[in-house]
Amino acid sequence: SADGGAAGAAEGVHTPARALLARLADVIAERVDSLSAQGLANAAWAFAAARVPAPAALRAIERAALHDLEAFTPVGLTMLIWSFAAAGVRAPDLFLASSAVLVEQLRASELTPLALATATCALARAAEEEGGGGGGGGGGGGAEAGYSELLRALERDAAAADLLAACNASERSQLLGAFASTAELHGAEGADGVDAAALRLLARGAA
């Protein structure tokens, strides 16, 4: 899973490398405008995978990414979403806007099964944290709204059928885990959507 990969990556990053990343955080925060979309994704992933706290750099990356999310490839956008979710950074605007771009990429048949599974799990994780309290303002946040938008696309869009059918057992397992973990966040209507997407996924996987 993505989390397992991050844990393994973090264990493989030695203390001097983490110290270097910590120093680079300040540089990236100051020079974020010089990074490409993939560079932003790579930087965010490095901090999250190595578990290096870099709030200022991540906020700078968020601001830069929001200016041009359309420039991100499906892989780059998935890396970005996963990184913020894994780092536990609340970024409702980023999660919501990224979800809209992901849906566009899904409809254009640009998403891979792995990107779909990873992004869905990341959004589910962020939505759980939003719904778990700790931040004022009740109601759904950007991650939850974005996750719901992606869920509706998986449930209804014709383009999702082939993508779901192409998911391997591991990817289907990740998606079902995401659906199960967030079912309680939704009311009856939302839960129906979760169930429909899960059933569709199982049916496609068995086909």
Side-chain angles (χ1 to χ4, degrees), residues 49-112:
R51 298 178 183 173
V52 172
L58 288 173
R59 288 303 179 201
I61 289 170
E62 177 188 9
R63 288 193 296 272
L66 281 169
H67 281 303
D68 194 13
L69 280 176
E70 298 287 348
F72 285 80
T73 65
V75 171
L77 189 58
T78 297
M79 288 174 63
L80 186 72
I81 294 170
W82 178 87
S83 299
F84 276 78
V89 175
R90 295 201 174 209
D93 292 341
L94 179 65
F95 289 132
L96 182 57
S98 295
S99 298
V101 175
L102 279 173
V103 171
E104 291 176 4
Q105 293 173 342
L106 185 155
R107 290 170 177 161
S109 299
E110 296 174 352
L111 277 186
T112 65

Side-chain angles (χ1 to χ4, degrees), residues 87-168:
V89 175
R90 295 201 174 209
D93 292 341
L94 179 65
F95 289 132
L96 182 57
S98 295
S99 298
V101 175
L102 279 173
V103 171
E104 291 176 4
Q105 293 173 342
L106 185 155
R107 290 170 177 161
S109 299
E110 296 174 352
L111 277 186
T112 65
L114 179 59
L116 172 66
T118 302
T120 302
C121 287
L123 286 169
R125 177 175 181 169
E128 279 188 279
E129 292 186 359
E130 282 183 349
E144 186 176 344
Y147 173 77
S148 295
E149 182 178 358
L150 181 58
L151 188 67
R152 284 192 295 271
L154 290 177
E155 179 191 354
R156 302 171 184 173
D157 285 20
D162 290 340
L163 185 59
L164 292 174
C167 290
N168 62 30

Side-chain angles (χ1 to χ4, degrees), residues 12-41:
V13 178
H14 299 298
T15 300
R18 287 185 177 144
L20 174 60
L21 280 172
R23 292 198 300 274
L24 283 176
D26 292 335
V27 176
I28 289 172
E30 294 172 0
R31 303 181 184 178
V32 70
D33 291 337
S34 67
L35 294 178
S36 66
Q38 190 59 49
L40 293 171

